[in-house]
Amino acid sequence: MESKPKKVLIVGGGSAGWMTAAYLSKVFGRQVNISLVESATIGTIGVGEATFSTIHLFFKFLGLQEEDWMPACNASYKLAIKFVNWNAERRHFYHPFQRYEVVQGHNVAEWWLKGDREECFDESCFVIPAICEAQRSPRYMDGRVYDNLFAKQVADCPNDSFLLRELKVQYPYGYHFDASLIAKFMAKYAQERGVTEILDEVDDVVLAEDGSILGVQTRAHGRLDADLFVDCTGFRSLLINKALGEPFIPFSESLLCDRAVAMQVPSDPQNEGINPYTSATALSAGWVWNIPLFHRTGTGYVYSSAFISPEEAEREFREHLGERSKGCKPNHIKMRIGRNRNSWVKNCVAVGLASGFVEPLESTGIFFIQHAIEELVNHFPGNSIDPATVKSYNKAIAGCIDGVRDFLVLHYVASTRADSAFWKATKTEIRIPENLAENLELWKRRLPTNRTINPQFHGFEAYSYSVMLLGLGFRPTEGLPILDYCGHAPALKQFENLRSRSEYLVATLPSTYEYLASLYQDNGRKKEIYHKAHAAPVAYPQSRPT
Ligand SMILES: Cc1cc2nc3c(=O)[nH]c(=O)nc-3n(C[C@H](O)[C@H](O)[C@H](O)COP(=O)(O)OP(=O)(O)OC[C@H]3O[C@@H](n4cnc5c(N)ncnc54)[C@H](O)[C@@H]3O)c2cc1C
């Protein structure tokens, strides 16, 4: 390729393919010819339904407000992940989209640890657990987000990428949505901006002498050529692994779960309400996700096939669901866990499951897609594909996926649960990545800080690490000695403030169902109010109840 890429061909039309098409069409408009070929017969994976809070940035970049896309995608709010039965005491805890507040230069978790407080750490240090338990919406009926503390810019870093820079902004929630509906929504958005859809099956990939891709051979449309190919063919990974022979690095030594059985179960939101959180409930050989959408619930058992057969897993899963599973069709899925050695090779970039995947424990699949697309835009080729640019892209992607892997390994090794062969194996049989093993030694004494977690960007900050450690029962013995030299009164006041703020929010916010029902019914009016609220955010009244 001796000139700027003029033609981009995306192969695959799941959420990865259509999110890429939508984003690139917004970036390049019609200056780059973008096409997407997808099979009408090979299905999409279609279970990715919970997101990171950074997905806000994706919609923001596309110029979409919640009113534009949420009703079309059966979407609901996600404020946290509720972990159930992950510790020996079987006490649940929340991993919320809320960072710690700081007292005298130290975060409230450090103060909690030092103070030996009786209240659970998550309920003491955050407002989100109370909001979740009460099924409250993160927005008031007029569209205001509940606490504009979260909209504060933490730092201004003009040299960071859009995603990194915006990550410094607090968002109090992510979303749950129907993955196949989001792909449909993105397809419409992309096609309205000039992306051509080709419905056909790719049978072969034609290589040039230098090993790059010339084109893909389709059944009905002949050979489709392009300057740059984006492999979004899911676990099949047709271009990057099969045609270009790039090795895939499995994570099976560190993460034992390799299968899932998923179901869509009916729900009754009007009577039962909508939980504004994802839950992850540990079972004998893995864990169950539960994702409440507006009209139904998505659920699935992620398990290790070394410890339970698909039939036994389905039986245990149905027992866990009880009556709700009656008549629901199971979808058994084999998961390819790991990443490509390189996700950009020659003129081919893999995005989505074709690039890499870890089990969906922290809802990172769609985040990986968003991160890859943004890095692709940052590294988009000029007049040639230069090796240093490709290397930089590959380093960013590998660092992100490996960092998330390490964070997930922490979920298992730090958990105090060891009541089945699977849970015992998570303590004795898995390889703990070196960096994590070293950090765990330190974290036995002290909580993680941003200096001691994996310094490469991977989406999780130190607060997430310490929430997981404390929730899983891995409590540091020491805490920060420096706090012994400080007065505790301001910290006690802050805990009191957090408690009264939780009570205030629970008392004043509408229920998630109430807010979403009105959003779904009344798009136009809500939109107007939303825009007004964003122009002049209203602060939490600091003087409110004591
Ligand atoms: C069990 C499970 C649970 C998950 N939960 C979450 C979650 O909660 N949150 C989250 O963020 N992510 C989650 N994910 C990940 C998420 O589902 C995926 O990242 C996302 O759906 C993207 O998938 P994809 O587009 O890469 O692949 P797919 O959805 O598999 O799409 C592949 C596309 O390639 C096309 N294709 C394949 N072969 C050919 C061919 N020969 N010719 C033409 N087209 C072809 C197919 O037709 C399809 O359009 C989960 C994944 C799994 C497995």
PDB file of all heavy atoms in Angstrom, residues 392-405:
ATOM      1  N   SER A 392       3.339  -0.508  17.989  1.00  0.00           N
ATOM      2  CA  SER A 392       2.753   0.288  19.071  1.00  0.00           C
ATOM      3  C   SER A 392       1.290  -0.126  19.301  1.00  0.00           C
ATOM      4  O   SER A 392       0.836  -0.266  20.445  1.00  0.00           O
ATOM      5  CB  SER A 392       2.877   1.778  18.699  1.00  0.00           C
ATOM      6  OG  SER A 392       1.977   2.544  19.434  1.00  0.00           O
ATOM      7  N   TYR A 393       0.558  -0.347  18.195  1.00  0.00           N
ATOM      8  CA  TYR A 393      -0.836  -0.796  18.318  1.00  0.00           C
ATOM      9  C   TYR A 393      -0.880  -2.143  19.055  1.00  0.00           C
ATOM     10  O   TYR A 393      -1.639  -2.333  20.005  1.00  0.00           O
ATOM     11  CB  TYR A 393      -1.477  -0.940  16.926  1.00  0.00           C
ATOM     12  CG  TYR A 393      -2.888  -1.477  16.976  1.00  0.00           C
ATOM     13  CD1 TYR A 393      -3.975  -0.624  17.098  1.00  0.00           C
ATOM     14  CD2 TYR A 393      -3.133  -2.858  16.915  1.00  0.00           C
ATOM     15  CE1 TYR A 393      -5.275  -1.120  17.166  1.00  0.00           C
ATOM     16  CE2 TYR A 393      -4.422  -3.359  16.978  1.00  0.00           C
ATOM     17  CZ  TYR A 393      -5.490  -2.489  17.096  1.00  0.00           C
ATOM     18  OH  TYR A 393      -6.781  -2.977  17.182  1.00  0.00           O
ATOM     19  N   ASN A 394      -0.040  -3.069  18.602  1.00  0.00           N
ATOM     20  CA  ASN A 394      -0.067  -4.417  19.184  1.00  0.00           C
ATOM     21  C   ASN A 394       0.285  -4.404  20.670  1.00  0.00           C
ATOM     22  O   ASN A 394      -0.272  -5.158  21.466  1.00  0.00           O
ATOM     23  CB  ASN A 394       0.871  -5.340  18.406  1.00  0.00           C
ATOM     24  CG  ASN A 394       0.241  -5.751  17.082  1.00  0.00           C
ATOM     25  OD1 ASN A 394      -0.983  -5.885  16.988  1.00  0.00           O
ATOM     26  ND2 ASN A 394       1.050  -5.929  16.053  1.00  0.00           N
ATOM     27  N   LYS A 395       1.189  -3.514  21.030  1.00  0.00           N
ATOM     28  CA  LYS A 395       1.589  -3.417  22.434  1.00  0.00           C
ATOM     29  C   LYS A 395       0.395  -2.920  23.277  1.00  0.00           C
ATOM     30  O   LYS A 395       0.134  -3.437  24.369  1.00  0.00           O
ATOM     31  CB  LYS A 395       2.752  -2.425  22.531  1.00  0.00           C
ATOM     32  CG  LYS A 395       3.548  -2.563  23.771  1.00  0.00           C
ATOM     33  CD  LYS A 395       4.789  -1.695  23.691  1.00  0.00           C
ATOM     34  CE  LYS A 395       5.297  -1.489  25.111  1.00  0.00           C
ATOM     35  NZ  LYS A 395       6.227  -0.411  25.231  1.00  0.00           N
ATOM     36  N   ALA A 396      -0.304  -1.930  22.730  1.00  0.00           N
ATOM     37  CA  ALA A 396      -1.450  -1.371  23.469  1.00  0.00           C
ATOM     38  C   ALA A 396      -2.533  -2.442  23.671  1.00  0.00           C
ATOM     39  O   ALA A 396      -3.100  -2.578  24.766  1.00  0.00           O
ATOM     40  CB  ALA A 396      -2.028  -0.168  22.718  1.00  0.00           C
ATOM     41  N   ILE A 397      -2.816  -3.203  22.614  1.00  0.00           N
ATOM     42  CA  ILE A 397      -3.896  -4.211  22.704  1.00  0.00           C
ATOM     43  C   ILE A 397      -3.494  -5.344  23.642  1.00  0.00           C
ATOM     44  O   ILE A 397      -4.256  -5.757  24.523  1.00  0.00           O
ATOM     45  CB  ILE A 397      -4.242  -4.758  21.295  1.00  0.00           C
ATOM     46  CG1 ILE A 397      -4.701  -3.621  20.377  1.00  0.00           C
ATOM     47  CG2 ILE A 397      -5.287  -5.875  21.378  1.00  0.00           C
ATOM     48  CD1 ILE A 397      -5.879  -2.807  20.863  1.00  0.00           C
ATOM     49  N   ALA A 398      -2.255  -5.856  23.464  1.00  0.00           N
ATOM     50  CA  ALA A 398      -1.802  -6.973  24.303  1.00  0.00           C
ATOM     51  C   ALA A 398      -1.763  -6.538  25.769  1.00  0.00           C
ATOM     52  O   ALA A 398      -2.198  -7.279  26.662  1.00  0.00           O
ATOM     53  CB  ALA A 398      -0.421  -7.438  23.844  1.00  0.00           C
ATOM     54  N   GLY A 399      -1.277  -5.320  26.019  1.00  0.00           N
ATOM     55  CA  GLY A 399      -1.181  -4.823  27.401  1.00  0.00           C
ATOM     56  C   GLY A 399      -2.556  -4.739  28.045  1.00  0.00           C
ATOM     57  O   GLY A 399      -2.733  -5.109  29.215  1.00  0.00           O
ATOM     58  N   CYS A 400      -3.524  -4.285  27.279  1.00  0.00           N
ATOM     59  CA  CYS A 400      -4.887  -4.142  27.798  1.00  0.00           C
ATOM     60  C   CYS A 400      -5.482  -5.511  28.135  1.00  0.00           C
ATOM     61  O   CYS A 400      -6.004  -5.728  29.236  1.00  0.00           O
ATOM     62  CB  CYS A 400      -5.731  -3.412  26.751  1.00  0.00           C
ATOM     63  SG  CYS A 400      -7.437  -3.188  27.214  1.00  0.00           S
ATOM     64  N   ILE A 401      -5.375  -6.458  27.203  1.00  0.00           N
ATOM     65  CA  ILE A 401      -5.997  -7.778  27.436  1.00  0.00           C
ATOM     66  C   ILE A 401      -5.266  -8.510  28.574  1.00  0.00           C
ATOM     67  O   ILE A 401      -5.891  -9.115  29.446  1.00  0.00           O
ATOM     68  CB  ILE A 401      -6.028  -8.614  26.135  1.00  0.00           C
ATOM     69  CG1 ILE A 401      -6.833  -7.872  25.056  1.00  0.00           C
ATOM     70  CG2 ILE A 401      -6.615 -10.000  26.390  1.00  0.00           C
ATOM     71  CD1 ILE A 401      -6.913  -8.581  23.712  1.00  0.00           C
ATOM     72  N   ASP A 402      -3.929  -8.431  28.585  1.00  0.00           N
ATOM     73  CA  ASP A 402      -3.171  -9.111  29.652  1.00  0.00           C
ATOM     74  C   ASP A 402      -3.483  -8.505  31.019  1.00  0.00           C
ATOM     75  O   ASP A 402      -3.585  -9.216  32.025  1.00  0.00           O
ATOM     76  CB  ASP A 402      -1.660  -9.018  29.392  1.00  0.00           C
ATOM     77  CG  ASP A 402      -1.235  -9.864  28.193  1.00  0.00           C
ATOM     78  OD1 ASP A 402      -2.090 -10.609  27.657  1.00  0.00           O
ATOM     79  OD2 ASP A 402      -0.061  -9.772  27.797  1.00  0.00           O
ATOM     80  N   GLY A 403      -3.630  -7.186  31.050  1.00  0.00           N
ATOM     81  CA  GLY A 403      -3.947  -6.517  32.315  1.00  0.00           C
ATOM     82  C   GLY A 403      -5.301  -6.971  32.843  1.00  0.00           C
ATOM     83  O   GLY A 403      -5.464  -7.240  34.037  1.00  0.00           O
ATOM     84  N   VAL A 404      -6.272  -7.090  31.941  1.00  0.00           N
ATOM     85  CA  VAL A 404      -7.602  -7.551  32.361  1.00  0.00           C
ATOM     86  C   VAL A 404      -7.511  -9.009  32.827  1.00  0.00           C
ATOM     87  O   VAL A 404      -8.099  -9.384  33.848  1.00  0.00           O
ATOM     88  CB  VAL A 404      -8.634  -7.382  31.216  1.00  0.00           C
ATOM     89  CG1 VAL A 404      -9.937  -8.086  31.554  1.00  0.00           C
ATOM     90  CG2 VAL A 404      -8.894  -5.902  30.957  1.00  0.00           C
ATOM     91  N   ARG A 405      -6.731  -9.828  32.090  1.00  0.00           N
ATOM     92  CA  ARG A 405      -6.543 -11.232  32.531  1.00  0.00           C
ATOM     93  C   ARG A 405      -6.040 -11.268  33.977  1.00  0.00           C
ATOM     94  O   ARG A 405      -6.573 -11.984  34.822  1.00  0.00           O
ATOM     95  CB  ARG A 405      -5.533 -11.930  31.613  1.00  0.00           C
ATOM     96  CG  ARG A 405      -5.177 -13.349  32.079  1.00  0.00           C
ATOM     97  CD  ARG A 405      -3.835 -13.801  31.535  1.00  0.00           C
ATOM     98  NE  ARG A 405      -2.766 -12.882  31.939  1.00  0.00           N
ATOM     99  CZ  ARG A 405      -1.595 -12.769  31.329  1.00  0.00           C
ATOM    100  NH1 ARG A 405      -1.322 -13.513  30.292  1.00  0.00           N
ATOM    101  NH2 ARG A 405      -0.675 -11.902  31.768  1.00  0.00           N
TER     102      ARG A 405
END
